[in-house]
Each structure stands twice: as structure tokens, then as C-alpha cells.
Amino acid sequence: MKNTLKINLPWTEEHEAYCYKHHIPPAAKILWQWLMRQGQIASEIEPDLSEFNAWVAKTRGKPYAHNYLKKIFEILVSCRVLQVIKRYCWKITKLLVRPLSWLNPPKKRREKKLYNHNSSYDSPPSNDISAEQGLNSSSNSITPTTAEFEELERQHEILTACAEYEIYFDPNKRTTRNLLEFDIEDVRNALKHFVKRGGNQAINNPQGWLINCLRNCYWQDETFGLSAFIETLKSWFPSNLPRDY
């Protein structure tokens, strides 16, 4: 969408706290921020996730896999960040981005107890009071949604894969979020390249090296040989060169 960057991003520390509380991964947070720039908050928009992926490719170096893109979108839906109004296809929907005031539960008001002098103390509680007690008891047992559970499984798979190569990331540290932005396939490619570079014996800071490897796709440098270089040059030059060139 045009003029995306001209729209100010009303992102605050409360948004960060909401992401932390609901285990929203960094990729989903980036998608949330991008959607906030597509129009007014709490107004209907029709974003195209392929445009988001193209924007991500410019900054990340490669787009997200379609399955992962669907997953982070559904995470935002399950966390009530997005309200889907109509689905045209998996990447184009009519939706609205909820403001933070809609997401946080309202503060409970103190209810004044009204005593009826004509009623006895043995009378059963009213339906309103019993309903309120049932609501309060059910709100204490919050179970993760399917999308949240799948995201936790994905993160666990990445951390476990790194641990197999004796590269340990603390999941409670913010720096670990940089690792969890990437797909498991890319992480495995980076780990294989880590071994080719000498592993822990040759690399002093394996955690930092691995994240840099993922950002710059170090493993792709080895596959770019002479034949790939020649093919790239052919596609780089225009096909309709002048005769006297």
C-alpha cells in the first residue's frame, strides 16, 4: 500500500508488554506493526500479506515461508489483535486492527452490596452474583490457543536444534528473539555451516555468529560457484544489446 511509512506508528511499551504476556513472536509483532501503518486503528482495511512479505524481503533478505506467514497471522487473530471481517483468500482479508484499549480487560468496579431488610439471610444468591462468581473462576484458568501452542513448539524445536550443536540460547533473554524470527529450515542450514566453519573450536561466540549467519545467509556463499556466477551475469546484462557493443 502507498504512503505506508508516512503513517505514524502508535507503538508503546504497553504493546511490548502485551506481546510478552501473550507470547507473540517477533515476526508476528512486525506484522502487527506493519498492519497498524495500513490505515486508521479500529477501521476496516484490506491488506495483502504478499506486500508485507515483499517488504520483509527488503529488510530481512528473504520473505517468510507461506506456512509461517499464515501462522503468525493466525497468532494475531487468536490473541485478539486482529478482527477478521471477511476472508477473500489466505493472504487477502478485510479486517481491523484493534486498539490496545480494546485488548486489555476493563478494571473491575466495586459493586455496592444492597441489603434488603425484608429478605432473610437464608435466601439463595441472585443469578447475577452466581454468574459473576462463575466468570471469575473460569478466568483464572487460561489455556493457550492452538496457534500459541504451535508457536511454542516451533520455538522449542529451534532451541533444541541449536542445543544439539552445543549452542545454548536462554529463552528468557530478549536477544533470543532474534534467533526465533527465522524458520527452522534456515536454522538447520546455518548449523550445518557452523560445523563447516569449525564449530565451537573455531568460533568464540557461537550464539552471535549463528544469528549473523542467519541474517546474511552465509551458507549460500558456498553454493554460488563459477556456473552460478556466469548465469547471473547473463541475466544481469540486458538481452537487447546494440550491435556495436
Side-chain angles (χ1 to χ4, degrees):
M1 295 185 179
K2 296 180 180 180
N3 301 326
T4 298
L5 299 178
K6 294 183 179 180
I7 301 176
N8 294 327
L9 180 65
W11 191 265
T12 63
E13 292 183 358
E14 294 181 355
H15 289 85
E16 292 287 344
Y18 191 86
C19 290
Y20 181 80
K21 179 180 179 181
H22 295 273
H23 305 287
I24 296 177
K29 183 178 74 171
I30 294 172
L31 176 58
W32 184 2
Q33 294 173 340
W34 184 84
L35 290 170
M36 291 173 70
R37 292 190 177 100
Q38 305 310 305
Q40 297 295 327
I41 304 297
S43 62
E44 293 184 5
I45 57 175
E46 294 184 3
D48 187 345
L49 293 185
S50 61
E51 295 182 4
F52 167 74
N53 228 6
W55 175 78
V56 167
K58 293 180 181 179
T59 56
R60 182 173 175 256
K62 60 180 297 186
Y64 292 124
H66 286 175
N67 289 337
Y68 185 60
L69 187 57
K70 295 177 186 178
K71 184 178 293 185
I72 62 176
F73 180 84
E74 293 302 328
I75 288 174
L76 295 180
V77 174
S78 65
C79 293
R80 300 173 48 250
V81 171
L82 305 179
Q83 179 180 344
V84 176
I85 300 171
K86 185 176 181 181
R87 293 181 184 266
Y88 301 104
C89 61
W90 73 267
K91 62 181 179 179
I92 302 177
T93 56
K94 179 186 289 185
L95 56 84
L96 59 85
V97 181
R98 289 189 172 105
L100 201 61
S101 58
W102 294 10
L103 301 178
N104 294 326
K107 295 181 180 179
K108 295 181 179 179
R109 295 182 301 175
R110 291 185 178 180
E111 296 185 0
K112 296 181 180 179
K113 294 183 179 179
L114 301 178
Y115 296 95
N116 188 352
H117 297 286
N118 296 326
S119 62
S120 63
Y121 290 103
D122 296 332
S123 60
S126 65
N127 293 333
D128 293 338
I129 296 176
S130 60
E132 181 184 356
Q133 290 175 348
L135 179 62
N136 291 336
S137 62
S138 63
S139 62
N140 293 330
S141 58
I142 300 176
T143 57
T145 62
T146 302
E148 289 174 336
F149 185 75
E150 289 179 352
E151 174 58 22
L152 289 175
E153 280 190 327
R154 188 191 71 86
Q155 295 179 10
H156 182 267
E157 186 179 2
I158 291 176
L159 296 175
T160 304
C162 294
E164 292 175 358
Y165 291 80
E166 297 183 358
I167 305 177
Y168 305 104
F169 286 87
D170 185 352
N172 297 317
K173 284 189 177 181
R174 290 186 177 182
T175 52
T176 306
R177 294 183 181 181
N178 296 326
L179 170 72
L180 300 177
E181 289 181 5
F182 298 94
D183 300 333
I184 183 62
E185 292 81 7
D186 290 343
V187 173
R188 294 193 184 280
N189 288 330
L191 289 170
K192 292 178 182 178
H193 193 67
F194 172 74
V195 174
K196 292 181 180 180
R197 287 296 183 91
N200 287 290
Q201 296 179 354
I203 298 174
N204 295 326
N205 180 18
Q207 289 87 356
W209 182 93
L210 186 65
I211 292 175
N212 287 331
C213 178
L214 288 164
R215 287 173 175 170
N216 299 287
C217 302
Y218 289 162
W219 65 89
Q220 292 182 354
D221 295 339
E222 290 187 352
T223 59
F224 192 76
L226 178 60
S227 59
F229 174 72
I230 295 174
E231 291 297 324
T232 302
L233 285 183
K234 290 180 181 179
S235 61
W236 188 54
F237 281 105
S239 58
N240 55 345
L241 290 173
R243 294 181 178 179
D244 56 347
Y245 180 77

